[in-house]
Amino acid sequence: GQQVMQIPQYQHVQEGEDFTTYCNSSTTLSNIQWYKQRPGGHPVFLIQLVKSGEVKKQKRLTFQFGEAKKNSSLHITATQTTDVGTYFCARGPGTYKYIFGTGTRLKVLA
Amino acid sequence: KAGVTQTPRYLIKTRGQQVTLSCSPISGHRSVSWYQQTPGQGLQFLFEYFSETQRNKGNFPGRFSGRQFSNSRSEMNVSTLELGDSALYLCASSLGWGQPQHFGDGTRLSIL
């Protein structure tokens, strides 16, 4: 019911290639947050999307919220080795409870 | 501004023991959430506190409990530890619900 699926689970790319991770929910999301966790580190907040169809950019990162507010994506243009880590989406807030996606682990090969 | 501080960073316990983990949120943050992170299950929500009140709880057994103090610092307690409790326990604070969460470095708990 409240699961948030992320695909792919793993992605290996050559440096300079693009990367996209998708977050899908079976129910409508009030908002969605994206986090990045470097190996051995803790999740770091990237962005929050609230409005249907919203698109936000942060340098090489583009975040989208679906029109139906049931899915979201994170696209990285021209990956760099510093992009390595696991990217999580988090749905919420429900009743004061965030549900994190399964995460996409990105490896960038130099 | 100091970040979220979790203590201890590492802990080794044996089955049946109990453990208390501590989290000091960013100054001014009143919402504190706890998560369990394991390779197999990812980030699982444990509970959320705001102004000393637990507002929601995840699907964990009653052995997992927490509290929040008037200065917003929070503790979580796990009693009768099991091997499966081995995990990284993360605390996150925010200004309020729906706001960005700021995570601490976590406490890595190993059960022998």
Side-chain angles (χ1 to χ4, degrees), chain B residues 34-51:
Chain B
W34 288 88
Y35 296 87
Q36 181 195 66
Q37 187 172 33
T38 58
Q41 298 295 317
L43 271 161
Q44 300 284 314
F45 172 82
L46 279 155
F47 19 68
E48 192 264 357
Y49 287 90
F50 185 88
S51 293

Side-chain angles (χ1 to χ4, degrees), chain A residues 35-44 81-88:
Chain A
Y35 292 82
K36 175 185 178 182
Q37 185 173 21
R38 293 181 184 272
H42 57 264
V44 174
T81 53
T82 52
D83 295 325
V84 163
T86 301
Y87 293 85
F88 293 97

Side-chain angles (χ1 to χ4, degrees), chain A residues 31 33 35 37 42-43 45 48 88 93-98 100, chain B residues 35 37 43 45 48 55-56 90 97-101 103-105:
Chain A
N31 70 28
Q33 295 180 343
Y35 292 82
Q37 185 173 21
H42 57 264
F45 174 80
Q48 177 166 282
F88 293 97
T95 47
Y96 308 114
K97 178 178 179 177
Y98 269 101
F100 275 74
Chain B
Y35 296 87
Q37 187 172 33
L43 271 161
F45 172 82
E48 192 264 357
R55 300 195 291 189
N56 206 339
L90 291 160
W97 195 246
Q99 297 299 312
Q101 298 179 80
F103 284 81
D105 287 332

Side-chain angles (χ1 to χ4, degrees), chain A residues 12-86:
Chain A
H12 294 182
V13 298
Q14 285 291 138
E15 191 173 19
E17 290 183 337
D18 291 357
F19 159 76
T20 304
T21 174
Y22 301 89
C23 188
N24 299 305
S25 170
S26 57
T27 56
T28 304
L29 307 171
S30 52
N31 70 28
I32 195 151
Q33 295 180 343
W34 284 92
Y35 292 82
K36 175 185 178 182
Q37 185 173 21
R38 293 181 184 272
H42 57 264
V44 174
F45 174 80
L46 294 175
I47 208 144
Q48 177 166 282
L49 303 172
V50 178
K51 298 177 186 173
S52 165
E54 190 169 17
V55 178
K56 286 188 176 180
K57 292 192 176 187
Q58 288 180 351
K59 296 181 180 177
R60 294 178 295 103
L61 277 61
T62 303
F63 303 84
Q64 286 191 304
F65 204 4
E67 292 290 342
K69 299 182 76 172
K70 287 187 175 182
N71 53 66
S72 180
S73 65
L74 157 59
H75 179 83
I76 302 178
T77 304
T79 54
Q80 300 175 358
T81 53
T82 52
D83 295 325
V84 163
T86 301

